[in-house]
Structures are given as C-alpha cells and as structure tokens.
Amino acid sequence: MALPPHESSRWQSPMRAFLLGLRAVATSVLSMVLFATFIGIGALAHDSGFSLGWVLLGTLLVWAGPAQIILISTLGSGATALQAAIAVTVSAIRLFPMVVSVLPMLRTPTTKLRHLVMPAHFVAVTMWVECFRLLPQVPRERRIAFANGLGTGLISVSLIANVTGHLLAANLPPLFGAAVLLLTPLAFLLSTARNCRELADVVALGLGLALFPLVALFDTGVDVLISGVAAGTIAYGVHRFRRRPA
C-alpha cells in the first residue's frame, strides 16, 4: 500500500491517520494469512470445548496466535489456570524485543507513557512486520494514531475469523486446521526475508534457517530458541566487526 506523502493534508488529524491504518490492513497480504490462522484457532477452541465468547475474549486480551494456541491446548488438556498463565507468559517473552524495537519509532518528545499502552498491546509478529514496512512512510506525530488503526484492524480481522472458524469447526477436516496454522510462520518468514536491509539481517536469517535442521537432530525441545539465539549472536558479531574503525 502506498501511503500519502508526509506533507499531505490527509495526515492533518489523528482520526485520518487512524483510518489510514485501518485501510492498510485491508490491502495487506498478511491480513489474509491472519484470517486463515484465526479460523484455525476458532476451530481449535470449538474442538477443545471453549465457547465462542471465550475465544473472542482470548483474541482481545492475548492477541498473539501462538500464545492462544498454547492457552487453549494447556487448558484443554486439564492444566490449571496458573500453569496455563505461566506457559503463555513464557511464550510472550519473545514479543518483548519486538515491542522495544517498535515503540521508539512511535515516540515524539511530547509522547506520554499512556499513549503507548495500546500500541504496545497490539505488537505481535504481524504488527511488528507491518510497522517496519509502513511507519517510515508516516509522519512521526501521526504514527501512534496510525499504529492504533493498524492494530485495531488486525484484531478485527482475527475476531471475524474466530467466529468463522468456531461456527465451521464441525465441517473443517483436522488436516485443514493444521494447514492454516502453518500459513502464519511461512508468511512471517517471507515477510522477514523481504524486509532484510542490512547484511546482519541476511546473516541472521540465513544462519537461522541453516542451523535449525542441525539443532533439531539433538531433540532438545527448544530447537528454534537455540538456533535463533546462535544465529542472532553471530549476525550481531558480524555487524560489530563491519562497523569497527579501520
């Protein structure tokens, strides 16, 4: 989506920026991936015995798809609420670096902490990818309103998909539900590859893909974490080496 130039009158009010954020959701291919993913989550919630209202509340409060799958799976298997909360919290730690990288893009010298609460809640992988793609095209003083529109649109798509998946669960084959959940990591991989601008980005992504099959042979249970940390550390070392004075 091509956003208006910074000097355009369409950025004059926060409401217009919010609406432009909503519009960006309608033109993003990740919205379709998100819709398919949350159909699967709605179907999973139905098959696990959770009501439609419960899964809608989960999307509003938890938002991130993988965390919802963990929540539904743990509670559906008989775990206590405390155990499920701990599992979801551990899963959510992965989002902390994304929040830390997005919020400085939104702040201005006059931004108050309360203005960042909603954008911080909206930050999941889809939001993170779209912010890095779109926010440079948005005037800094309108970025919070734009991000709120973007996040509201993404959650709205997810809620509609939840309803669809929950109502159609009886007619969805299990293989289809698994397939739509797989669309999300594939889409994020392609989006991340498209957004690679620095050599360190390319090194981190390439090494992560190369190391994962090797680490998986050890069956540690945290294969993604090990390969990701190792690849990211090496990429950071490459970045620091290239920036050192000659």
Side-chain angles (χ1 to χ4, degrees):
M1 171 185 176
L3 294 173
H6 285 203
E7 62 274 11
S8 171
S9 60
R10 299 176 70 182
W11 295 115
Q12 286 183 354
S13 72
M15 179 55 66
R16 286 189 176 186
F18 180 88
L19 293 176
L20 284 169
L22 283 177
R23 180 188 168 196
V25 173
T27 59
S28 172
V29 67
L30 289 183
S31 298
M32 294 184 285
V33 175
L34 200 66
F35 186 83
T37 300
F38 277 80
I39 284 179
I41 292 174
L44 176 64
H46 177 276
D47 292 343
S48 300
F50 294 100
S51 68
L52 178 58
W54 190 96
V55 71
L56 293 177
L57 185 63
T59 295
L60 284 172
L61 299 181
V62 179
W63 170 215
Q68 288 196 67
I69 294 172
I70 292 171
L71 180 63
I72 294 169
S73 301
T74 52
L75 291 178
S77 64
T80 65
L82 178 59
Q83 291 170 326
I86 293 173
V88 171
T89 300
V90 171
S91 167
I93 291 174
R94 69 194 169 86
L95 301 177
F96 182 71
M98 299 181 192
V99 176
V100 171
S101 64
V102 167
L103 292 190
M105 300 173 68
L106 304 177
R107 299 190 67 172
T108 68
T110 60
T111 299
K112 293 181 171 56
L113 184 61
R114 66 176 182 271
H115 298 150
L116 299 174
V117 173
M118 286 306 296
H121 173 66
F122 287 140
V123 174
V125 180
T126 306
M127 181 74 170
W128 175 71
V129 170
E130 291 296 82
C131 280
F132 271 85
R133 183 173 71 91
L134 297 172
L135 285 183
Q137 305 175 50
V138 180
R140 182 168 287 274
E141 65 275 11
R142 294 291 177 253
R143 288 182 180 180
I144 290 179
F146 180 86
N148 284 336
L150 189 64
T152 299
L154 292 173
I155 287 187
S156 298
V157 168
S158 303
L159 292 173
I160 295 171
N162 279 157
V163 174
T164 304
H166 201 276
L167 296 179
L168 295 178
N171 300 315
L172 283 175
L175 185 61
F176 176 81
V180 295
L181 292 176
L182 183 62
L183 283 175
T184 300
L186 289 176
F188 293 154
L189 175 62
L190 295 175
S191 298
T192 302
R194 180 190 64 186
N195 289 338
C196 286
R197 296 183 176 88
E198 303 286 342
L199 176 62
D201 300 332
V202 177
V203 171
L205 181 61
L207 277 179
L209 292 174
L211 289 176
F212 177 75
L214 299 176
V215 176
L217 295 176
F218 296 96
D219 194 24
T220 62
V222 286
D223 308 331
V224 175
L225 177 63
I226 293 174
S227 56
V229 170
T233 302
I234 294 171
Y236 178 72
V238 171
H239 175 70
R240 289 296 299 268
F241 178 79
R242 283 173 53 84
R243 292 190 61 184
R244 70 176 186 174

